[in-house]
Amino acid sequence: MIPLRKNIAEMDGYVPGFQPKDEGAWIKLNTNENPYPPSPRVAEAIRAELGDGEGLRKYPDPPSSAAREEAARLYGFDPAWVIMANGSDELLNNLIRAFAGEGEEIAYVHPSYSYYATLAGIQGARVRTFGLTDKWELADFPELYEGKLFFLTNPNAPLGFTYPLEFIEELAGRVAGMLVVDEAYVDFADENALPLVRKCPNVVVTRTLSKSYSLAGMRLGLAIARPEVIAALDKIRDHYNIDRLAQAAAVASLSDQDYLRGCVEKIRQTRAWFTGELRVLEYGVIPSRGNFVFATPPDRNGKRVYDALFERKILVRYFSDPLLSHGLRITIGTREEMEKTVAALAEIG
């Protein structure tokens, strides 16, 4: 018998969104990828770093110094407050490893990013979830939550709504451990929690370059927190966690804010148009601040519509969770892709 740890043997693995092999044959709106390419500076930086290939025989800079410095400059922090990672998932994992021992508790909002539970299971930590009221407020949250970590996905995924900064600051005072504000989609929203990192010692903000920066294929993320938190995360990350090409891509992408703003604005405009079209079709749509919407068909049968779209080679995300099965999460693609999706939804009825 293979002597696996009991919690690993018994846990379920996380199931990511379906990735078809013939991607070009599909309208792919299921994994919240950006429909536009990354900044042209990214390809230039990768080509420059690659050169004749000589650099690839050497290890990358262990702390990703240039990328940390660029992120720190962009967000107005000292580099000691910033860490780079192999996707923000690495940060979420290492935060649990750093703060929650086996049998200790972490918590998150349900529904939100279900991968928190998988990461907790790997560590052997216990999981507690807090539901939402019909006004998207936390249900039954205690005056003081005494678990080690509380994850707040803001904007919420898969629903798309945001919590105001005032609420997050209040919540930080009600969390005895660390409050991790997962801002994977924040560039599509109107405000962020970075000001709270300085005001509240227990706030950590995590970001990804997969969504707004169009770098899902490079696996890049970052966190901003007090230097003592960053130092702890530095201790436990893989010492060469970001390769040379990804580090060059991160610097180039973060430095081109004009390009970022242009892509984000196109997605926000398409999001507004698509939301309006869905409502014409009598879909319920939660106002979204992400690069996706959560939409409910009139008959509240998300699986029926998912299957019909799949037959038409349009991929969206369906969740079997009873709290979500009535609807679909639909990534905002190009205007042309969303027009085709609207036409398909009208045909499906």
Side-chain angles (χ1 to χ4, degrees), residues 49-113:
E49 183 65 31
L50 184 61
D52 60 3
E54 173 68 15
L56 293 186
R57 70 179 180 82
K58 301 174 184 176
Y59 286 111
D61 175 43
S64 305
S65 303
R68 285 192 189 198
E69 290 165 7
E70 187 61 36
R73 181 198 63 76
L74 174 61
Y75 299 125
F77 287 83
D78 186 276
W81 293 60
V82 179
I83 189 169
M84 303 300 298
N86 191 298
S88 60
D89 285 344
E90 182 191 21
L91 293 163
L92 304 177
N93 185 26
N94 284 348
L95 283 162
I96 295 174
R97 292 172 66 196
F99 288 98
E102 187 168 355
E104 294 182 314
E105 185 177 284
I106 68 105
Y108 61 95
V109 178
H110 179 65
S112 66
Y113 191 25

Short mmCIF file of all heavy atoms in Angstrom, two decimals, residues 49-113:
data_model
loop_
_atom_site.label_atom_id
_atom_site.label_comp_id
_atom_site.label_asym_id
_atom_site.label_seq_id
_atom_site.Cartn_x
_atom_site.Cartn_y
_atom_site.Cartn_z
N GLU A 49 15.81 38.96 -23.59
CA GLU A 49 16.31 38.09 -22.53
C GLU A 49 16.80 36.76 -23.11
O GLU A 49 17.82 36.21 -22.67
CB GLU A 49 15.21 37.83 -21.50
CG GLU A 49 15.64 36.98 -20.31
CD GLU A 49 16.68 37.65 -19.44
OE1 GLU A 49 16.68 38.90 -19.35
OE2 GLU A 49 17.48 36.93 -18.83
N LEU A 50 16.08 36.26 -24.10
CA LEU A 50 16.45 34.99 -24.71
C LEU A 50 17.77 35.10 -25.46
O LEU A 50 18.66 34.26 -25.33
CB LEU A 50 15.33 34.52 -25.64
CG LEU A 50 15.50 33.16 -26.30
CD1 LEU A 50 15.59 32.07 -25.25
CD2 LEU A 50 14.34 32.90 -27.25
N GLY A 51 17.92 36.18 -26.24
CA GLY A 51 19.15 36.38 -27.00
C GLY A 51 19.50 35.15 -27.81
O GLY A 51 18.67 34.59 -28.52
N ASP A 52 20.75 34.69 -27.65
CA ASP A 52 21.17 33.47 -28.34
C ASP A 52 20.96 32.24 -27.48
O ASP A 52 21.44 31.15 -27.82
CB ASP A 52 22.64 33.59 -28.76
CG ASP A 52 23.57 33.79 -27.56
OD1 ASP A 52 23.09 33.78 -26.40
OD2 ASP A 52 24.78 33.95 -27.79
N GLY A 53 20.24 32.41 -26.37
CA GLY A 53 19.96 31.28 -25.49
C GLY A 53 20.98 31.09 -24.39
O GLY A 53 20.80 30.26 -23.49
N GLU A 54 22.06 31.87 -24.44
CA GLU A 54 23.13 31.71 -23.45
C GLU A 54 22.63 31.89 -22.02
O GLU A 54 23.01 31.15 -21.12
CB GLU A 54 24.25 32.73 -23.75
CG GLU A 54 25.36 32.81 -22.72
CD GLU A 54 26.23 31.55 -22.66
OE1 GLU A 54 26.15 30.73 -23.59
OE2 GLU A 54 26.99 31.41 -21.69
N GLY A 55 21.71 32.86 -21.84
CA GLY A 55 21.25 33.15 -20.49
C GLY A 55 20.45 32.01 -19.87
O GLY A 55 20.38 31.90 -18.64
N LEU A 56 19.84 31.17 -20.70
CA LEU A 56 18.96 30.13 -20.17
C LEU A 56 19.73 29.01 -19.47
O LEU A 56 19.12 28.21 -18.75
CB LEU A 56 18.09 29.55 -21.28
CG LEU A 56 17.05 30.51 -21.87
CD1 LEU A 56 16.16 29.77 -22.87
CD2 LEU A 56 16.21 31.15 -20.80
N ARG A 57 21.02 28.93 -19.66
CA ARG A 57 21.77 27.89 -18.94
C ARG A 57 22.05 28.30 -17.50
O ARG A 57 22.50 27.48 -16.69
CB ARG A 57 23.08 27.57 -19.67
CG ARG A 57 24.12 28.69 -19.63
CD ARG A 57 25.39 28.28 -20.37
NE ARG A 57 26.39 29.35 -20.33
CZ ARG A 57 27.21 29.57 -19.31
NH1 ARG A 57 27.15 28.80 -18.23
NH2 ARG A 57 28.08 30.55 -19.34
N LYS A 58 21.76 29.57 -17.17
CA LYS A 58 22.01 30.07 -15.82
C LYS A 58 20.69 30.25 -15.07
O LYS A 58 19.67 30.55 -15.67
CB LYS A 58 22.74 31.42 -15.88
CG LYS A 58 24.09 31.36 -16.59
CD LYS A 58 24.67 32.75 -16.74
CE LYS A 58 25.96 32.72 -17.54
NZ LYS A 58 26.49 34.10 -17.77
N TYR A 59 20.74 30.08 -13.77
CA TYR A 59 19.54 30.26 -12.96
C TYR A 59 19.06 31.71 -13.01
O TYR A 59 19.86 32.64 -13.19
CB TYR A 59 19.82 29.89 -11.50
CG TYR A 59 19.94 28.40 -11.27
CD1 TYR A 59 21.17 27.83 -10.94
CD2 TYR A 59 18.83 27.57 -11.36
CE1 TYR A 59 21.30 26.47 -10.71
CE2 TYR A 59 18.94 26.21 -11.14
CZ TYR A 59 20.17 25.67 -10.82
OH TYR A 59 20.28 24.32 -10.60
N PRO A 60 17.78 31.93 -12.81
CA PRO A 60 17.26 33.30 -12.77
C PRO A 60 17.60 33.98 -11.44
O PRO A 60 18.05 33.33 -10.48
CB PRO A 60 15.75 33.10 -12.90
CG PRO A 60 15.51 31.76 -12.31
CD PRO A 60 16.70 30.92 -12.67
N ASP A 61 17.38 35.27 -11.39
CA ASP A 61 17.57 36.03 -10.15
C ASP A 61 16.61 35.50 -9.08
O ASP A 61 15.38 35.57 -9.26
CB ASP A 61 17.28 37.51 -10.42
CG ASP A 61 17.34 38.37 -9.18
OD1 ASP A 61 18.26 38.17 -8.37
OD2 ASP A 61 16.44 39.22 -9.00
N PRO A 62 17.08 34.94 -7.97
CA PRO A 62 16.19 34.29 -7.00
C PRO A 62 15.04 35.18 -6.49
O PRO A 62 13.89 34.72 -6.47
CB PRO A 62 17.12 33.85 -5.88
CG PRO A 62 18.44 33.66 -6.55
CD PRO A 62 18.50 34.73 -7.60
N PRO A 63 15.30 36.43 -6.09
CA PRO A 63 14.17 37.23 -5.58
C PRO A 63 13.36 37.98 -6.64
O PRO A 63 12.47 38.74 -6.29
CB PRO A 63 14.87 38.22 -4.63
CG PRO A 63 16.22 38.42 -5.22
CD PRO A 63 16.59 37.10 -5.85
N SER A 64 13.68 37.78 -7.91
CA SER A 64 12.99 38.53 -8.99
C SER A 64 13.06 40.03 -8.72
O SER A 64 12.05 40.74 -8.74
CB SER A 64 11.53 38.07 -9.10
OG SER A 64 11.43 36.69 -9.29
N SER A 65 14.26 40.52 -8.46
CA SER A 65 14.45 41.89 -7.97
C SER A 65 13.87 42.95 -8.90
O SER A 65 13.20 43.88 -8.45
CB SER A 65 15.95 42.16 -7.76
OG SER A 65 16.50 41.23 -6.87
N ALA A 66 14.13 42.82 -10.19
CA ALA A 66 13.67 43.86 -11.12
C ALA A 66 12.14 43.92 -11.15
O ALA A 66 11.56 45.01 -11.19
CB ALA A 66 14.22 43.61 -12.52
N ALA A 67 11.50 42.76 -11.12
CA ALA A 67 10.04 42.75 -11.12
C ALA A 67 9.48 43.30 -9.82
O ALA A 67 8.49 44.05 -9.81
CB ALA A 67 9.53 41.32 -11.35
N ARG A 68 10.08 42.95 -8.69
CA ARG A 68 9.65 43.51 -7.41
C ARG A 68 9.77 45.04 -7.41
O ARG A 68 8.87 45.75 -6.95
CB ARG A 68 10.51 42.97 -6.26
CG ARG A 68 10.21 41.55 -5.86
CD ARG A 68 10.89 41.22 -4.54
NE ARG A 68 10.79 39.80 -4.26
CZ ARG A 68 10.98 39.26 -3.06
NH1 ARG A 68 11.29 40.04 -2.05
NH2 ARG A 68 10.88 37.96 -2.87
N GLU A 69 10.90 45.51 -7.93
CA GLU A 69 11.13 46.96 -7.94
C GLU A 69 10.13 47.66 -8.85
O GLU A 69 9.64 48.76 -8.52
CB GLU A 69 12.57 47.24 -8.36
CG GLU A 69 13.59 46.84 -7.30
CD GLU A 69 15.01 46.77 -7.82
OE1 GLU A 69 15.22 47.18 -9.00
OE2 GLU A 69 15.89 46.30 -7.08
N GLU A 70 9.81 47.05 -9.98
CA GLU A 70 8.84 47.67 -10.89
C GLU A 70 7.45 47.69 -10.26
O GLU A 70 6.72 48.70 -10.35
CB GLU A 70 8.80 46.91 -12.21
CG GLU A 70 7.94 47.56 -13.28
CD GLU A 70 8.42 48.95 -13.67
OE1 GLU A 70 9.66 49.18 -13.69
OE2 GLU A 70 7.57 49.82 -13.93
N ALA A 71 7.05 46.59 -9.60
CA ALA A 71 5.75 46.55 -8.92
C ALA A 71 5.71 47.56 -7.77
O ALA A 71 4.71 48.24 -7.56
CB ALA A 71 5.47 45.14 -8.41
N ALA A 72 6.80 47.65 -7.02
CA ALA A 72 6.86 48.60 -5.91
C ALA A 72 6.73 50.03 -6.41
O ALA A 72 6.01 50.85 -5.81
CB ALA A 72 8.17 48.41 -5.14
N ARG A 73 7.42 50.33 -7.51
CA ARG A 73 7.31 51.68 -8.08
C ARG A 73 5.89 51.98 -8.53
O ARG A 73 5.35 53.05 -8.26
CB ARG A 73 8.27 51.80 -9.28
CG ARG A 73 8.28 53.18 -9.94
CD ARG A 73 8.88 53.11 -11.34
NE ARG A 73 8.09 52.26 -12.22
CZ ARG A 73 6.94 52.62 -12.77
NH1 ARG A 73 6.41 53.81 -12.52
NH2 ARG A 73 6.30 51.78 -13.58
N LEU A 74 5.27 51.01 -9.19
CA LEU A 74 3.92 51.19 -9.70
C LEU A 74 2.91 51.44 -8.58
O LEU A 74 2.05 52.31 -8.69
CB LEU A 74 3.52 49.95 -10.51
CG LEU A 74 2.08 49.89 -11.02
CD1 LEU A 74 1.79 51.05 -11.97
CD2 LEU A 74 1.83 48.55 -11.71
N TYR A 75 3.02 50.67 -7.50
CA TYR A 75 2.01 50.73 -6.45
C TYR A 75 2.40 51.65 -5.29
O TYR A 75 1.61 51.82 -4.35
CB TYR A 75 1.72 49.32 -5.93
CG TYR A 75 1.18 48.40 -6.99
CD1 TYR A 75 1.78 47.18 -7.27
CD2 TYR A 75 0.06 48.76 -7.75
CE1 TYR A 75 1.29 46.33 -8.26
CE2 TYR A 75 -0.43 47.92 -8.73
CZ TYR A 75 0.18 46.71 -8.99
OH TYR A 75 -0.31 45.89 -9.98
N GLY A 76 3.59 52.23 -5.33
CA GLY A 76 3.98 53.20 -4.32
C GLY A 76 4.43 52.60 -3.00
O GLY A 76 4.19 53.17 -1.93
N PHE A 77 5.13 51.46 -3.06
CA PHE A 77 5.66 50.81 -1.87
C PHE A 77 7.16 50.61 -2.00
O PHE A 77 7.71 50.59 -3.11
CB PHE A 77 5.00 49.44 -1.67
CG PHE A 77 3.58 49.50 -1.19
CD1 PHE A 77 2.54 49.68 -2.09
CD2 PHE A 77 3.27 49.37 0.15
CE1 PHE A 77 1.22 49.73 -1.66
CE2 PHE A 77 1.96 49.42 0.60
CZ PHE A 77 0.93 49.61 -0.31
N ASP A 78 7.82 50.43 -0.87
CA ASP A 78 9.21 49.99 -0.89
C ASP A 78 9.24 48.53 -1.36
O ASP A 78 8.32 47.76 -1.05
CB ASP A 78 9.80 50.10 0.52
CG ASP A 78 11.29 49.79 0.53
OD1 ASP A 78 11.63 48.58 0.60
OD2 ASP A 78 12.09 50.73 0.47
N PRO A 79 10.28 48.12 -2.10
CA PRO A 79 10.34 46.73 -2.57
C PRO A 79 10.27 45.69 -1.45
O PRO A 79 9.88 44.55 -1.70
CB PRO A 79 11.68 46.67 -3.30
CG PRO A 79 11.90 48.06 -3.79
CD PRO A 79 11.35 48.95 -2.71
N ALA A 80 10.62 46.07 -0.23
CA ALA A 80 10.54 45.12 0.88
C ALA A 80 9.11 44.73 1.20
O ALA A 80 8.88 43.76 1.93
CB ALA A 80 11.19 45.73 2.13
N TRP A 81 8.14 45.48 0.67
CA TRP A 81 6.71 45.18 0.88
C TRP A 81 6.13 44.32 -0.24
O TRP A 81 4.92 44.04 -0.25
CB TRP A 81 5.91 46.48 0.97
CG TRP A 81 6.21 47.32 2.17
CD1 TRP A 81 7.41 47.88 2.52
CD2 TRP A 81 5.29 47.73 3.19
NE1 TRP A 81 7.29 48.61 3.68
CE2 TRP A 81 6.00 48.54 4.11
CE3 TRP A 81 3.92 47.50 3.39
CZ2 TRP A 81 5.39 49.10 5.23
CZ3 TRP A 81 3.31 48.08 4.50
CH2 TRP A 81 4.04 48.86 5.41
N VAL A 82 6.96 43.89 -1.20
CA VAL A 82 6.46 43.22 -2.41
C VAL A 82 7.17 41.89 -2.60
O VAL A 82 8.37 41.76 -2.36
CB VAL A 82 6.69 44.10 -3.66
CG1 VAL A 82 6.18 43.40 -4.93
CG2 VAL A 82 6.03 45.46 -3.49
N ILE A 83 6.42 40.88 -3.03
CA ILE A 83 7.01 39.61 -3.43
C ILE A 83 6.36 39.17 -4.74
O ILE A 83 5.17 39.38 -4.96
CB ILE A 83 6.82 38.52 -2.34
CG1 ILE A 83 7.63 37.26 -2.68
CG2 ILE A 83 5.34 38.19 -2.11
CD1 ILE A 83 7.69 36.25 -1.54
N MET A 84 7.17 38.58 -5.61
CA MET A 84 6.68 38.03 -6.87
C MET A 84 6.50 36.52 -6.72
O MET A 84 7.17 35.88 -5.90
CB MET A 84 7.65 38.33 -8.01
CG MET A 84 7.96 39.79 -8.23
SD MET A 84 6.49 40.80 -8.64
CE MET A 84 5.96 40.03 -10.18
N ALA A 85 5.63 35.95 -7.54
CA ALA A 85 5.34 34.53 -7.39
C ALA A 85 5.00 33.89 -8.72
O ALA A 85 4.70 34.58 -9.70
CB ALA A 85 4.18 34.33 -6.42
N ASN A 86 5.03 32.57 -8.73
CA ASN A 86 4.65 31.78 -9.89
C ASN A 86 3.13 31.67 -9.91
O ASN A 86 2.55 30.64 -9.55
CB ASN A 86 5.31 30.39 -9.78
CG ASN A 86 5.19 29.60 -11.06
OD1 ASN A 86 4.09 29.29 -11.49
ND2 ASN A 86 6.31 29.26 -11.66
N GLY A 87 2.49 32.75 -10.30
CA GLY A 87 1.03 32.85 -10.22
C GLY A 87 0.61 33.20 -8.81
O GLY A 87 1.31 32.90 -7.83
N SER A 88 -0.54 33.85 -8.66
CA SER A 88 -0.99 34.19 -7.31
C SER A 88 -1.36 32.94 -6.51
O SER A 88 -1.36 32.97 -5.27
CB SER A 88 -2.18 35.15 -7.37
OG SER A 88 -3.28 34.59 -8.06
N ASP A 89 -1.62 31.81 -7.19
CA ASP A 89 -1.91 30.57 -6.46
C ASP A 89 -0.73 30.17 -5.58
O ASP A 89 -0.92 29.61 -4.49
CB ASP A 89 -2.24 29.44 -7.43
CG ASP A 89 -3.62 29.57 -8.03
OD1 ASP A 89 -4.44 30.34 -7.49
OD2 ASP A 89 -3.90 28.90 -9.05
N GLU A 90 0.50 30.41 -6.03
CA GLU A 90 1.66 30.10 -5.19
C GLU A 90 1.62 30.91 -3.90
O GLU A 90 1.93 30.41 -2.82
CB GLU A 90 2.96 30.38 -5.94
CG GLU A 90 4.20 30.03 -5.10
CD GLU A 90 5.51 30.53 -5.68
OE1 GLU A 90 5.51 31.48 -6.50
OE2 GLU A 90 6.55 29.98 -5.29
N LEU A 91 1.20 32.15 -4.00
CA LEU A 91 1.10 33.00 -2.81
C LEU A 91 0.03 32.51 -1.86
O LEU A 91 0.24 32.47 -0.64
CB LEU A 91 0.81 34.45 -3.23
CG LEU A 91 1.94 35.13 -3.99
CD1 LEU A 91 1.43 36.36 -4.72
CD2 LEU A 91 3.06 35.49 -3.04
N LEU A 92 -1.13 32.14 -2.41
CA LEU A 92 -2.20 31.63 -1.56
C LEU A 92 -1.74 30.38 -0.82
O LEU A 92 -2.01 30.21 0.37
CB LEU A 92 -3.44 31.34 -2.41
CG LEU A 92 -3.98 32.50 -3.25
CD1 LEU A 92 -5.16 32.04 -4.09
CD2 LEU A 92 -4.37 33.69 -2.39
N ASN A 93 -1.05 29.51 -1.53
CA ASN A 93 -0.52 28.29 -0.94
C ASN A 93 0.49 28.62 0.17
O ASN A 93 0.41 28.08 1.28
CB ASN A 93 0.14 27.45 -2.03
CG ASN A 93 0.62 26.10 -1.53
OD1 ASN A 93 0.09 25.55 -0.56
ND2 ASN A 93 1.62 25.55 -2.19
N ASN A 94 1.43 29.51 -0.12
CA ASN A 94 2.47 29.82 0.85
C ASN A 94 1.94 30.60 2.05
O ASN A 94 2.49 30.50 3.14
CB ASN A 94 3.61 30.56 0.17
CG ASN A 94 4.48 29.62 -0.66
OD1 ASN A 94 4.36 28.40 -0.55
ND2 ASN A 94 5.34 30.18 -1.49
N LEU A 95 0.89 31.37 1.86
CA LEU A 95 0.27 32.05 3.01
C LEU A 95 -0.31 31.02 3.98
O LEU A 95 -0.16 31.16 5.21
CB LEU A 95 -0.81 33.02 2.54
CG LEU A 95 -0.28 34.34 1.96
CD1 LEU A 95 -1.35 35.03 1.13
CD2 LEU A 95 0.19 35.26 3.10
N ILE A 96 -0.95 29.99 3.45
CA ILE A 96 -1.48 28.94 4.32
C ILE A 96 -0.32 28.20 4.99
O ILE A 96 -0.35 27.93 6.20
CB ILE A 96 -2.37 27.97 3.53
CG1 ILE A 96 -3.63 28.70 3.03
CG2 ILE A 96 -2.77 26.77 4.40
CD1 ILE A 96 -4.50 27.89 2.12
N ARG A 97 0.72 27.90 4.24
CA ARG A 97 1.88 27.21 4.82
C ARG A 97 2.54 28.05 5.91
O ARG A 97 3.01 27.51 6.92
CB ARG A 97 2.90 26.92 3.72
CG ARG A 97 2.46 25.90 2.70
CD ARG A 97 3.45 25.81 1.55
NE ARG A 97 4.73 25.28 1.98
CZ ARG A 97 5.86 25.38 1.27
NH1 ARG A 97 5.84 26.03 0.10
NH2 ARG A 97 6.98 24.87 1.71
N ALA A 98 2.55 29.36 5.72
CA ALA A 98 3.23 30.24 6.68
C ALA A 98 2.43 30.47 7.96
O ALA A 98 3.00 30.64 9.04
CB ALA A 98 3.55 31.58 6.02
N PHE A 99 1.09 30.47 7.85
CA PHE A 99 0.28 30.90 8.98
C PHE A 99 -0.60 29.82 9.60
O PHE A 99 -1.02 29.95 10.75
CB PHE A 99 -0.61 32.09 8.56
CG PHE A 99 0.16 33.35 8.37
CD1 PHE A 99 0.55 33.77 7.10
CD2 PHE A 99 0.51 34.14 9.45
CE1 PHE A 99 1.26 34.95 6.91
CE2 PHE A 99 1.22 35.32 9.28
CZ PHE A 99 1.61 35.72 8.01
N ALA A 100 -0.90 28.76 8.86
CA ALA A 100 -1.84 27.76 9.36
C ALA A 100 -1.17 26.40 9.44
O ALA A 100 -0.83 25.81 8.41
CB ALA A 100 -3.08 27.69 8.48
N GLY A 101 -1.01 25.90 10.65
CA GLY A 101 -0.45 24.57 10.83
C GLY A 101 -1.53 23.51 10.68
O GLY A 101 -2.72 23.81 10.54
N GLU A 102 -1.11 22.26 10.73
CA GLU A 102 -2.04 21.16 10.61
C GLU A 102 -3.09 21.24 11.72
O GLU A 102 -2.76 21.41 12.89
CB GLU A 102 -1.31 19.82 10.68
CG GLU A 102 -2.20 18.64 10.40
CD GLU A 102 -1.42 17.35 10.18
OE1 GLU A 102 -0.17 17.41 10.16
OE2 GLU A 102 -2.07 16.30 10.04
N GLY A 103 -4.35 21.15 11.32
CA GLY A 103 -5.45 21.22 12.27
C GLY A 103 -5.92 22.61 12.60
O GLY A 103 -6.97 22.78 13.24
N GLU A 104 -5.18 23.64 12.17
CA GLU A 104 -5.61 25.02 12.42
C GLU A 104 -6.55 25.47 11.31
O GLU A 104 -6.59 24.89 10.23
CB GLU A 104 -4.40 25.94 12.55
CG GLU A 104 -3.57 25.61 13.79
CD GLU A 104 -2.39 26.55 13.98
OE1 GLU A 104 -1.68 26.82 12.99
OE2 GLU A 104 -2.18 26.98 15.13
N GLU A 105 -7.29 26.54 11.58
CA GLU A 105 -8.40 26.90 10.71
C GLU A 105 -8.10 28.08 9.81
O GLU A 105 -7.50 29.07 10.22
CB GLU A 105 -9.63 27.23 11.56
CG GLU A 105 -10.89 27.51 10.74
CD GLU A 105 -12.09 27.76 11.62
OE1 GLU A 105 -12.62 26.78 12.18
OE2 GLU A 105 -12.49 28.93 11.76
N ILE A 106 -8.56 27.95 8.55
CA ILE A 106 -8.63 29.08 7.61
C ILE A 106 -10.09 29.19 7.16
O ILE A 106 -10.86 28.24 7.30
CB ILE A 106 -7.68 28.92 6.41
CG1 ILE A 106 -8.13 27.77 5.48
CG2 ILE A 106 -6.26 28.64 6.88
CD1 ILE A 106 -8.77 28.22 4.20
N ALA A 107 -10.45 30.35 6.62
CA ALA A 107 -11.84 30.53 6.20
C ALA A 107 -11.90 31.37 4.94
O ALA A 107 -10.95 32.09 4.59
CB ALA A 107 -12.66 31.18 7.32
N TYR A 108 -13.03 31.27 4.26
CA TYR A 108 -13.25 32.08 3.07
C TYR A 108 -14.75 32.19 2.83
O TYR A 108 -15.56 31.51 3.47
CB TYR A 108 -12.53 31.50 1.85
CG TYR A 108 -12.96 30.12 1.43
CD1 TYR A 108 -13.92 29.92 0.45
CD2 TYR A 108 -12.37 29.00 2.00
CE1 TYR A 108 -14.30 28.65 0.05
CE2 TYR A 108 -12.74 27.71 1.61
CZ TYR A 108 -13.71 27.55 0.63
OH TYR A 108 -14.09 26.30 0.24
N VAL A 109 -15.11 33.05 1.91
CA VAL A 109 -16.52 33.26 1.54
C VAL A 109 -16.92 32.17 0.55
O VAL A 109 -16.18 31.83 -0.38
CB VAL A 109 -16.72 34.64 0.90
CG1 VAL A 109 -18.16 34.84 0.46
CG2 VAL A 109 -16.30 35.74 1.86
N HIS A 110 -18.10 31.62 0.76
CA HIS A 110 -18.64 30.66 -0.20
C HIS A 110 -19.98 31.19 -0.72
O HIS A 110 -20.88 31.45 0.08
CB HIS A 110 -18.84 29.29 0.44
CG HIS A 110 -19.42 28.29 -0.51
ND1 HIS A 110 -18.75 27.86 -1.63
CD2 HIS A 110 -20.62 27.65 -0.52
CE1 HIS A 110 -19.49 26.99 -2.28
NE2 HIS A 110 -20.63 26.85 -1.63
N PRO A 111 -20.10 31.39 -2.05
CA PRO A 111 -19.14 31.01 -3.08
C PRO A 111 -18.06 32.07 -3.32
O PRO A 111 -18.33 33.27 -3.29
CB PRO A 111 -20.03 30.87 -4.33
CG PRO A 111 -21.17 31.81 -4.09
CD PRO A 111 -21.40 31.82 -2.61
N SER A 112 -16.86 31.57 -3.54
CA SER A 112 -15.75 32.36 -4.09
C SER A 112 -14.76 31.36 -4.67
O SER A 112 -15.20 30.35 -5.25
CB SER A 112 -15.13 33.31 -3.06
OG SER A 112 -14.49 32.63 -2.01
N TYR A 113 -13.48 31.56 -4.51
CA TYR A 113 -12.48 30.73 -5.16
C TYR A 113 -12.32 29.43 -4.37
O TYR A 113 -11.75 29.41 -3.28
CB TYR A 113 -11.16 31.49 -5.22
CG TYR A 113 -10.07 30.89 -6.07
CD1 TYR A 113 -10.35 30.05 -7.14
CD2 TYR A 113 -8.74 31.21 -5.81
CE1 TYR A 113 -9.34 29.53 -7.92
CE2 TYR A 113 -7.71 30.70 -6.59
CZ TYR A 113 -8.01 29.86 -7.64
OH TYR A 113 -7.01 29.35 -8.42
#
